[in-house]
Amino acid sequence: MNDVSGRTTPGPRPPSPSTAGTHESPDPAGPARTARRRRDGTVPPWGFVVPALLVYAVVVLYPSLAGVVYAFTDWSGIGGFSFVGLDNFRTLLDDRRALESVSNTLLLTVAVVVVQNAVGLLLALGVHANIRSRSLLRVIFFAPAVVSPVMVAFLWKYVYNPDDGAGLNGILGALGLGGLRQDWLGNPSLALWSVAAMVVWQYAGYSMVIFLAGLQGVPAELHEAARIDGAGTWQRFRYVTWPLLAPALTVNLMLSTIGGLKLFDQVYAATNGGPGTSSETLSTVLYKEAFVYGKFGYSTAVALVLALFVAAVSLVQLRYLRAREVTA
């Protein structure tokens, strides 16, 4: 090609056979290098999990596994120990106080589960109604659930004061029902049920909140349709509300059952398992065996039996309640 001065200039260079018809492709390792550069100087995701797992292993896993081992020893809490096989469990089967505590634990659990959930459901139905003070009532009924169980026990020890003019006895006397006054925590036939009433008072509001969440999830259209079809209040509750409360019922029954089986704070603070062994539970037995009598090996055997019992009851209950949710 000639320019205006008559000199020859080179023209466009034709593409070489090696590059003709091809396009430059991006480096496949580029995104990976970019991601690595982006992560430089930052903590990998698993780095946030490891500290929590270490704390959990030290605080929960190690003591639990060690407890399983100690259940087969004669450890006294200090010094060495020797393995005794199943002797601790044989002692448990022959221990009258421990066997009586099993009966007390079951009775206490049944009473708490039934009454607490019944009262919680009634409270939920009440505060779910369209009344002006429902928000205030929800707070009042739920408040005891956030109080320390030990504080509740000391409060109720005053309520159960055996003096004629104090606490519940004083109220009964003022109402002209003096013949009903009792030594509520000192009477072996009443102590266990007095503790059950204390637990129900504290946690009925907790069950109320869970039932209330279930009630708020029931569509209003279903109630309206049932009302148009002529269903009364009881029929709407029986055939509309109750089946849809199945998930809330499952949660409440599971929590109250597990809480009742391992109940300790209220019993120990209110009665210390007395009078005699009338309100003794498995939790108080294992505590006393460990920290009063120094039989840590035997107490861990009791704790292992309690843990397995709670797990078995919970699994059976959960399976039944889940099946009920499907059919409901």
Side-chain angles (χ1 to χ4, degrees):
M1 178 182 298
N2 296 329
D3 58 7
V4 293
S5 61
R7 291 180 299 179
T8 303
T9 59
R13 183 180 302 174
S16 62
S18 60
T19 60
T22 63
H23 300 281
E24 185 177 358
S25 60
D27 183 3
R33 281 199 299 267
T34 303
R36 283 196 297 270
R37 285 195 299 268
R38 191 175 300 163
R39 291 197 300 266
D40 287 343
T42 62
V43 179
W46 52 264
F48 295 95
V49 180
V50 170
L53 290 179
L54 290 177
V55 173
Y56 182 78
V58 172
V59 176
V60 178
L61 293 182
Y62 174 74
S64 299
L65 295 176
V68 174
V69 175
Y70 290 142
F72 299 91
T73 69
D74 60 355
W75 188 44
S76 62
I78 57 176
F81 58 85
S82 59
F83 286 92
V84 295
L86 299 176
D87 287 352
N88 289 328
F89 299 95
R90 296 191 186 97
T91 302
L92 176 61
L93 294 177
D94 295 333
D95 189 344
R96 183 190 63 82
R97 185 167 63 95
L99 295 179
E100 185 177 352
S101 71
V102 174
S103 175
N104 291 338
T105 301
L106 293 176
L107 290 174
L108 184 61
T109 301
V110 172
V112 168
V113 169
V114 174
V115 181
Q116 175 182 317
N117 286 284
V119 173
L121 179 58
L122 292 175
L123 292 177
L125 292 172
V127 300
H128 185 61
N130 190 18
I131 55 177
R132 290 185 178 180
S133 59
R134 58 180 180 177
S135 298
L136 177 61
L137 291 175
R138 292 175 185 178
V139 174
I140 293 175
F141 293 144
F142 180 72
V146 300
V147 181
S148 167
V150 176
M151 292 294 295
V152 171
F154 283 119
L155 171 64
W156 277 80
K157 285 185 73 174
Y158 173 76
V159 174
Y160 288 139
N161 194 314
D163 293 341
D164 291 343
L168 182 59
N169 285 339
I171 296 175
L172 292 175
L175 295 176
L177 301 175
L180 299 179
R181 290 180 294 197
Q182 300 286 338
D183 185 1
W184 302 98
L185 297 178
N187 188 336
S189 61
L190 294 177
L192 188 67
W193 309 117
S194 298
V195 173
M198 178 194 314
V199 176
V200 169
W201 176 85
Q202 181 173 12
Y203 292 113
Y206 192 88
S207 298
M208 175 202 71
V209 171
I210 298 175
F211 278 127
L212 186 60
L215 289 172
Q216 292 176 343
V218 178
E221 294 81 2
L222 295 180
H223 282 286
E224 186 63 27
R227 186 180 295 108
I228 293 174
D229 290 339
T233 302
W234 167 250
Q235 291 174 321
R236 291 198 303 272
F237 173 79
R238 172 65 180 86
Y239 296 105
V240 177
T241 304
W242 181 246
L244 295 178
L245 282 180
L249 181 65
T250 298
V251 174
N252 269 328
L253 289 180
M254 291 292 298
L255 292 177
S256 56
T257 300
I258 295 174
L261 290 175
K262 62 184 186 67
L263 195 64
F264 170 77
D265 303 62
Q266 294 91 333
V267 176
Y268 191 80
T271 66
N272 196 20
T277 59
S278 60
S279 62
E280 200 85 82
T281 64
L282 273 174
S283 296
T284 60
V285 166
L286 70 89
Y287 174 84
K288 291 178 180 179
E289 292 293 338
F291 297 102
V292 176
Y293 305 116
K295 300 179 181 179
F296 278 81
Y298 177 61
S299 69
T300 51
V302 177
L304 181 59
V305 170
L306 176 60
L308 294 176
F309 182 67
V310 171
V313 172
S314 300
L315 288 175
V316 172
Q317 188 181 45
L318 180 62
R319 184 174 181 179
Y320 169 76
L321 292 173
R322 288 297 187 187
R324 179 187 176 276
E325 288 182 23
V326 174
T327 57

